[in-house]
């Protein structure tokens, strides 16, 4: 084979490898889900409920498309979010007499591609003691 023809084939092969990033189209990227930082909340006083608000506002689509949100509380079951399709839904922590751990998953979509899941852990501390202040050193 001709050396010039081999070079052309090699260039075409390598350029195809460099361009193909998406599953089915060049330069297509999945959106990125960011469920926020793990957090600790302290349970409200007797009779008061603890409201937890999540923050997925740092999620984005690398191509700049609008994204939709899909939040799911993995654990414990039967916890309802105010709206699982917005960037910052809230939920009311169960009013239990022990510490609780909530695991929440976020996925985002740009209507063509779906992100990998991102998780956030929310720890609810049962014992919420009053702060102690003193004027003596």
């Amino acid at each position: 084979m001709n050396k010039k023809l081999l070079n052309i084939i090699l260039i075409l092969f390598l350029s195809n490898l460099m361009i193909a990033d998406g599953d089915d189209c060049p330069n297509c990227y999945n959106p990125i889900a960011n469920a926020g930082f793990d957090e600790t909340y302290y349970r409200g006083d007797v009779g008061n409920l603890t409201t937890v608000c999540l923050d997925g506002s740092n999620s984005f689509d690398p191509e700049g498309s609008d994204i939709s949100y899909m939040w799911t509380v993995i654990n414990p079951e039967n916890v309802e979010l105010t709206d699982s399709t917005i960037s910052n839904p809230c939920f009311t922590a169960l009013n239990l007499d022990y510490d609780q751990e909530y695991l929440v998953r976020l996925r985002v979509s740009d209507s063509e591609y779906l992100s990998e899941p991102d998780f956030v852990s929310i720890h609810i501390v049962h014992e919420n003691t009053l702060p102690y202040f003193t004027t003596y050193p």
Side-chain angles (χ1 to χ4, degrees):
M1 245 208 253
N2 179 331
K3 189 174 182 179
K4 187 175 183 181
L5 182 60
L6 282 174
N7 284 339
I8 291 172
I9 292 171
L10 181 62
I11 289 171
L12 290 173
F13 177 75
L14 291 176
S15 65
N16 190 31
L17 287 177
M18 292 187 309
I19 292 174
D21 272 338
D23 292 339
D24 58 358
C25 80
N27 299 322
C28 293
Y29 300 98
N30 290 353
I32 308 297
N34 184 335
F37 296 106
D38 294 348
E39 294 196 39
T40 299
Y41 284 75
Y42 293 90
R43 195 180 99 176
D45 292 337
V46 176
N48 294 326
L49 301 176
T50 303
T51 300
V52 175
C53 292
L54 306 169
D55 184 7
S57 63
N58 287 324
S59 301
F60 66 97
D61 180 63
E63 299 165 319
S65 298
D66 290 336
I67 57 175
S68 57
Y69 299 85
M70 293 164 278
W71 291 94
T72 306
V73 179
I74 303 297
N75 189 37
E77 296 178 354
N78 301 323
V79 174
E80 291 187 30
L81 297 169
T82 53
D83 184 347
S84 63
T85 63
I86 61 174
S87 66
N88 56 343
C90 299
F91 66 90
T92 301
L94 302 172
N95 197 8
L96 302 174
D97 290 333
Y98 50 86
D99 291 359
Q100 303 164 62
E101 195 75 30
Y102 291 80
L103 180 63
V104 184
R105 177 183 69 208
L106 173 62
R107 295 188 87 176
V108 295
S109 172
D110 64 1
S111 77
E112 289 186 46
Y113 296 97
L114 185 62
S115 72
E116 292 295 320
D118 190 35
F119 296 89
V120 62
S121 179
I122 305 295
H123 184 74
I124 307 293
V125 178
H126 168 260
E127 189 172 326
N128 188 2
T129 58
L130 295 173
Y132 175 75
F133 294 100
T134 181
T135 57
Y136 301 106

